[in-house]
Amino acid sequence: MTELLLIGAVVFVIAGSVKGLVGIGLPTAAISMLTMVIDPRTAIALGLGPIVVSNAWQVWSMGDIRGAFSRYWIFALALAVSVFLTVSLSAEVSDRVIFLALGLSIVSFALLNLRFVMPRIPDRFDGVAQLGFGTISGILGGLSGVWVAPVIMYMSSRQVPKDEFVRATGLLLFIGSLPFVTAYIQQGFLTPDLAVVSLGLVIPTLLGFSLGARLRTRMSNEKFRKVVLYVFLLLGLNLLRRGLF
């Protein structure tokens, strides 16, 4: 477990720095890097502590939690149910399936943030859109531990303002993480030893976040953001390769 903690600490300092610098990509960076040296289920389990804490902090710092939940409760409910069911029903799937789901999540995440523009969803279809995107997000997240891409697609299609985007995204990622953690414990993927290591990784994550926030003032944020997203794209394509071949 000591070796796992050291590897995780290095990875989450880097992933936290990316999050602090460009505001996105903590689980995407961490899980994609960890799967290079450990199996995907363990990589996802190690990321749960930092992911839950960072999203809880994002929700708390943005405020208006009740208002955001009242606007996106359909998405939140669909996400929570589908995450839990997917983890529970896919306990025996192979690593190749997880690699495919993780690669698809990361490639979608990178492409969405680099170039893709979603068409606007009218208000009258919002409920249906929340249900659809929430379910897709939960299925993809239940397999891979990364469910941010469908959340971004929905928020972009609704053309929400920047602060609302950050608030709602943090809320949905946090809500999705709760049944995910519950299902991982229930299926035995998150053991007590892994839980201790995962919670310990919150510290290097916060250190990395602080470092990234400082670096943000010294370089072009947009240029670095694009470099990071292209790296994510390559990592995601490599995961797809590992799932296919």
Side-chain angles (χ1 to χ4, degrees):
M1 282 297 167
T2 301
E3 182 180 359
L4 200 57
L5 180 60
L6 291 175
I7 293 171
V10 173
V11 167
F12 276 93
V13 166
I14 297 171
S17 298
V18 171
K19 174 74 172 176
L21 185 62
V22 300
I24 55 175
L26 173 63
T28 309
I31 295 174
S32 60
M33 286 188 288
L34 284 171
T35 53
M36 295 180 179
V37 292
I38 59 177
D39 68 273
R41 292 284 193 194
T42 302
I44 294 168
L46 286 180
L48 293 178
I51 290 168
V52 171
V53 172
S54 62
N55 286 320
W57 174 255
Q58 181 172 323
V59 173
W60 179 261
S61 63
M62 290 302 295
D64 191 26
I65 300 172
R66 182 179 297 180
F69 183 78
S70 69
R71 289 187 289 275
Y72 305 110
W73 69 269
I74 297 175
F75 196 121
L77 181 61
L79 170 61
V81 171
S82 55
V83 159
F84 185 84
L85 290 177
T86 301
V87 174
S88 301
L89 296 174
S90 64
E92 302 299 324
V93 302
S94 67
D95 285 355
R96 292 184 66 177
V97 174
I98 300 175
F99 282 134
L100 285 171
L102 186 56
L104 179 61
S105 297
I106 293 173
V107 168
S108 300
F109 173 82
L111 291 177
L112 283 169
N113 281 277
L114 281 168
R115 300 189 180 280
F116 192 67
V117 178
M118 290 289 295
R120 186 181 184 280
I121 296 176
D123 292 347
R124 65 182 182 277
F125 296 130
D126 183 51
V128 174
Q130 288 195 40
L131 181 61
F133 280 105
T135 302
I136 294 169
S137 184
I139 294 171
L140 202 56
L143 287 170
S144 69
V146 178
W147 53 87
V148 68
V151 176
I152 292 176
M153 292 174 69
Y154 167 75
M155 292 297 164
S156 299
S157 68
R158 292 293 292 154
Q159 299 178 1
V160 300
K162 180 177 66 175
D163 287 348
E164 177 75 356
F165 184 98
V166 174
R167 178 185 297 109
T169 301
L171 177 66
L172 293 173
L173 295 179
F174 175 71
I175 288 175
S177 68
L178 299 181
F180 189 88
V181 171
T182 302
Y184 250 56
I185 293 173
Q186 184 185 71
Q187 297 299 322
F189 298 136
L190 183 61
T191 64
D193 287 343
L194 283 178
V196 170
V197 175
S198 182
L199 289 174
L201 294 176
V202 171
I203 296 174
T205 301
L206 295 177
L207 290 174
F209 186 86
S210 177
L211 176 62
R214 291 185 181 184
L215 290 174
R216 191 190 310 144
T217 63
R218 301 184 180 182
M219 65 174 64
S220 169
N221 189 42
E222 183 60 23
K223 181 182 292 186
F224 188 81
R225 173 179 172 276
K226 287 187 176 182
V227 171
V228 169
L229 289 170
Y230 279 117
V231 171
F232 283 168
L233 181 60
L234 292 175
L235 289 171
L237 290 172
N238 182 55
L239 288 166
L240 288 175
R241 178 193 63 78
R242 292 170 70 182
L244 291 171
F245 305 105

